[in-house]
Amino acid sequence: MRIIINWCASRFILHPTCMHEDDRLGAYLRHRGSLLETAAGMVGRARAEDVVQEAWLRLDRSATGVQQPSGYLFRIVRNLAVDLLRRSRWEVDGTTAADALCAAPSPMPSPEQHATASADLRSVMQALQQLPALQRQAFHLHRFEEATYAQIAQRLGVSQGTAHSLVQGALAHCVASLARDANPPRA
């Protein structure tokens, strides 16, 4: 007979374990049909047997301190069935979670996307160089230094309305330049 030590009311209590090896097997055999029904209701008949057998193996390997083997078995069956359902969500047409991750698009741009972005950047840089210095400076302050129109007006010595017009004009010029480059005129 095994002895279990419990901590209770600031003292150790020694008591014999209420479950022997035979009690585990007896609980499994008594409840096997109900365990199969529980598992089958969650994962289907085909997988229920595997779930129940795995539950038995876990009970058999568990520490001797399991007080209610039938409750423990039902909890294991439920948890295993839920785990199996979670894994099967990832399995679509034989695809596993690892396959799904490998098939996910790369966060890195493709060579074509990189070339397009580089061309767009060159176009915007050329458009900014074509702007008058005051307008280019207002655009730079607003877009790159995140200055407000009031701050731009103060730094450039213009009104807020003028600061707004300078920034919006620069933005419109850049957009028009991108549109021209994306749709070159036909000959």
Side-chain angles (χ1 to χ4, degrees):
M1 181 178 289
R2 295 188 184 119
I3 304 288
I4 296 177
I5 301 173
N6 281 345
W7 180 261
C8 180
S10 302
R11 64 176 192 247
F12 286 106
I13 298 174
L14 298 175
H15 60 83
T17 181
C18 65
M19 188 171 68
H20 299 282
E21 302 281 338
D22 294 338
D23 291 339
R24 291 181 195 195
L25 181 58
Y28 172 73
L29 294 174
R30 275 192 310 277
H31 297 289
R32 188 173 183 283
S34 297
L35 292 167
L36 279 170
E37 288 177 28
T38 300
M42 296 177 75
V43 296
R45 283 268 175 225
R47 294 181 173 177
E49 186 69 42
D50 292 337
V51 168
V52 172
Q53 286 178 7
E54 179 64 23
W56 160 247
L57 291 173
R58 289 190 184 191
L59 175 64
D60 191 46
R61 288 185 298 227
S62 68
T64 59
V66 176
Q67 300 295 315
Q68 296 179 351
S70 60
Y72 186 75
L73 278 168
F74 278 99
R75 175 57 65 180
I76 293 173
V77 165
R78 183 198 162 282
N79 291 347
L80 289 171
V82 168
D83 289 345
L84 188 60
L85 288 172
R86 285 182 184 146
R87 275 195 310 272
S88 67
R89 277 190 209 152
W90 284 100
E91 296 173 356
V92 179
D93 298 328
T95 304
T96 63
D99 294 336
L101 288 175
C102 289
S106 170
M108 299 298 295
S110 69
E112 180 182 338
Q113 291 169 327
H114 183 70
T116 302
S118 295
D120 288 349
L121 180 60
R122 279 191 302 276
S123 179
V124 167
M125 295 303 290
Q126 288 174 349
L128 289 173
Q129 292 303 316
Q130 296 168 356
L131 293 173
L134 189 63
Q135 193 171 28
R136 187 172 48 247
Q137 191 176 4
F139 182 80
H140 178 81
L141 288 169
H142 185 67
R143 290 294 176 162
F144 299 111
E145 294 184 25
E146 299 178 353
T148 64
Y149 292 122
Q151 293 168 333
I152 295 168
Q154 184 181 14
R155 285 182 67 179
L156 298 180
V158 297
S159 69
Q160 280 189 14
T162 301
H164 183 269
S165 295
L166 289 170
V167 171
Q168 293 305 311
L171 183 60
H173 183 70
C174 291
V175 169
S177 177
L178 283 173
R180 275 192 311 274
D181 289 349
N183 301 313
R186 293 183 184 166

